[in-house]
Structures are given as C-alpha cells and as structure tokens.
C-alpha cells in the first residue's frame, strides 16, 4: 500500500484514506494502483463488507497529478490497458461509500458515480475539466454522468467546465447528503457500518443487479483509446503548456479536427 493511501479495516469496513494533503491529494500512478488493488482485494476478504473512501486535508482530490501523469509514456499508455482504479471500480462487487471533503476534480468526481453512497461537505464543489485540458471523460463517465443527471447537465460539466456545488449535486442525484465538515466522516462511516451489517449476499446481489460491469468496462476502454490519442494531440500540448505557463490556451493556432 502506498504511503499516500492509508488502508484500515474494522467492523467490516475497509477505509481507504487519500493522504497527500500537501499536494491536494493529487493522484499518482502508485496511488491509483494502491486504490485499485484494495478495491479488488475487498471482494476476497471475508472481513470486508463495505469500502469507505475519504481524504485528509482541505479537499478530496484535485484529480491527476499532472507532472506524474504527463511525464512518462507508460503512464499515458496505461490508459489503453486500463487505469487500475477505474478498472476496479467497474468490476467492484463490494459496496463503496465516499466521504467528499471540499473540492473534487476530474477523477475525484467520476469515481463518485461508481460509489453506492456519497456524502459531501457544505463547501464541496465538483468539476470535470477534461475538455479544458483537450482531453475526454474517463471512468465510463461519458455514460454514467448523463445517465445520472441528463445529457444537457453532463455536457455543461464536461465541455463548459461548469462547477457543481454541494446542494446542486444533491438535487441532481450525485450525492445522498450534504453535511458540515465536522460531521462528514462520522456520517459516512455510520452509513458504511450500516451497509456492512446487512446480509452480505443480498447486498452484493442487489449491487450487481443495479449495474452492468461489462458495459462499464467497454465504455472505459473506448474512452481510454480516445484519451490516449488526445493526450498526444497538438490540442493537449497547447493545453498543458498553457496550464504550466499560467495563461489562457489558444486552440485556434493548433487547427481543427
């Protein structure tokens, strides 16, 4: 397990804590692997009947660590083979609960669409700025987000980068409850414990009936191919350069499709 992902099991609940607050819990390849392995492993651990995902610091996660993400070809090409966290989310049989403290960006939002219960703080803000970086949605979110909130709202989040606050996320069906920060972890853990106390086979079957892992995996693979291609595009080069140089990107100079 990565030092930036803390895993603790008690009372039937595996708690996975993102522990890189000094970097806003930006996710590295090592963290993705640790999270994916833990979620996969929960299925075979008789002591785990629910997984709770939470984070240290003032925000849930800023998404990908861009320096780690763009710095090495293997990390980029891994999108074709499947990000280990995303693949684990697609096939997860163990119920997942998320406690989202503050902002969640990119994969920090799309992973919530695979969680069975989601709790937000009053200051939570959700953003999916893939297109801003000349990229495309991932984690099967091109399927799950429109299914959850409708095409028009999802398109606005993806293409216009609309930020969704906690109350709107609650109203749109992305979250179950909005809480003060001081109450978030206790509420999410209580929910995870309640899930863990239910008949495990009935819970697992119910979750399985509510989702189609094959469809999710197929959509992730399709997204991954486009993601990898876009990452090598002139658009992405301009977007990442503009981000590093703290300026507005100029996509007009890189041409059209």
């Amino acid at each position: 397990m990565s030092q930036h992902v803390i895993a603790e099991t008690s009372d039937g609940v595996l708690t996975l804590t993102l522990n890189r607050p000094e970097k806003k819990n930006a996710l590295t390849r090592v963290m993705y692997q640790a999270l994916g392995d833990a979620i996969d492993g929960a299925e075979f651990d008789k002591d785990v009947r629910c997984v709770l995902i939470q984070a240290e610091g003032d925000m849930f996660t800023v998404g990908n660590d861009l320096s780690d993400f763009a710095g090495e070809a293997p990390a980029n090409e891994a999108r074709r083979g499947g990000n280990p966290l995303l693949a684990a989310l697609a096939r997860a049989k163990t119920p997942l609960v998320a406690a989202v403290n503050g902002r969640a960006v990119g994969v920090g939002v799309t992973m919530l669409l695979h969680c069975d219960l989601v709790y937000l703080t009053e200051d939570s803000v959700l953003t999916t700025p893939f297109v801003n970086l000349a990229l495309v949605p991932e984690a099967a979110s091109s399927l799950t987000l429109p299914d959850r909130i409708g095409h028009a709202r999802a398109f606005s989040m993806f293409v216009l980068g609309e930020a969704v606050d906690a109350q709107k996320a609650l109203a749109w069906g992305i979250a179950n409850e909005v809480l003060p920060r001081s109450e978030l972890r206790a509420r999410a853990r209580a929910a995870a414990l309640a899930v863990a106390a239910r008949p495990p086979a009935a819970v697992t079957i119910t979750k399985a009936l509510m989702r189609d892992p094959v469809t999710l995996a197929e959509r992730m693979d399709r997204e991954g191919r486009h993601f990898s291609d876009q990452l090598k595009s002139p658009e992405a080069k301009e977007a990442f350069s503009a981000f590093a140089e703290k300026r507005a990107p100029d996509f007009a100079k890189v041409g059209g499709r």
Side-chain angles (χ1 to χ4, degrees), residues 3-246:
Q3 63 176 326
H4 295 139
V5 177
I6 299 172
E8 301 172 296
T9 300
S10 65
D11 300 320
V13 177
L14 168 62
T15 302
L16 301 175
T17 305
L18 306 182
N19 186 40
R20 202 184 179 209
E22 73 283 0
K23 294 293 185 180
K24 306 296 184 183
N25 293 315
L27 296 170
T28 63
R29 289 171 295 142
V30 172
M31 293 171 72
Y32 276 127
Q33 190 68 59
L35 290 165
D37 288 347
I39 291 170
D40 278 338
E43 179 185 348
F44 306 102
D45 189 337
K46 62 180 178 59
D47 294 325
V48 175
R49 295 183 297 282
C50 188
V51 176
L52 170 61
I53 304 171
Q54 60 185 24
E56 295 289 356
D58 61 2
M59 68 182 296
F60 186 61
T61 175
V62 74
N64 287 309
D65 183 312
L66 293 181
S67 59
D68 179 83
F69 173 67
E72 297 188 31
N76 304 338
E77 290 303 315
R79 290 281 169 170
R80 289 187 177 273
N83 177 307
L85 171 59
L86 306 190
L89 290 172
R91 58 180 170 251
K93 295 183 179 180
T94 306
L96 306 174
V97 178
V100 181
N101 51 310
R103 291 179 58 210
V105 180
V107 69
V109 176
T110 59
M111 74 165 67
L112 302 181
L113 302 170
H114 296 274
C115 292
D116 303 288
L117 297 170
V118 176
Y119 299 92
L120 307 178
T121 53
E122 294 167 329
D123 61 343
S124 289
V125 177
L126 312 182
T127 54
T128 52
F130 301 109
V131 171
N132 289 351
L133 292 171
L135 301 173
V136 299
E138 38 81 291
S141 60
S142 62
L143 177 68
T144 56
L145 190 60
D147 281 353
R148 183 74 64 89
I149 69 174
H151 176 95
R153 288 169 173 169
F155 192 86
S156 180
M157 286 187 70
F158 284 141
V159 176
L160 299 182
E162 178 183 350
V164 175
D165 65 27
Q167 291 299 331
K168 187 178 290 186
L170 178 64
W172 286 2
I174 298 175
N176 294 82
E177 194 172 342
V178 176
L179 301 144
R181 276 186 177 251
S182 61
E183 299 176 16
L184 176 68
R185 286 199 176 184
R187 178 68 184 94
R189 179 159 181 83
L193 289 170
V195 171
R198 268 38 177 196
V203 170
T204 300
I205 293 168
T206 298
K207 179 180 170 88
L209 288 169
M210 294 175 68
R211 61 204 304 275
D212 184 350
V214 173
T215 299
L216 293 172
E218 289 175 347
R219 181 55 64 97
M220 286 184 187
D221 186 61
R222 182 178 169 191
E223 290 171 343
R225 290 194 297 270
H226 288 296
F227 198 107
S228 182
D229 290 343
Q230 274 299 112
L231 196 57
K232 295 176 283 191
S233 71
E235 288 181 347
K237 182 178 180 180
E238 168 61 12
F240 278 84
S241 295
F243 180 86
E245 296 164 11
K246 295 181 172 56

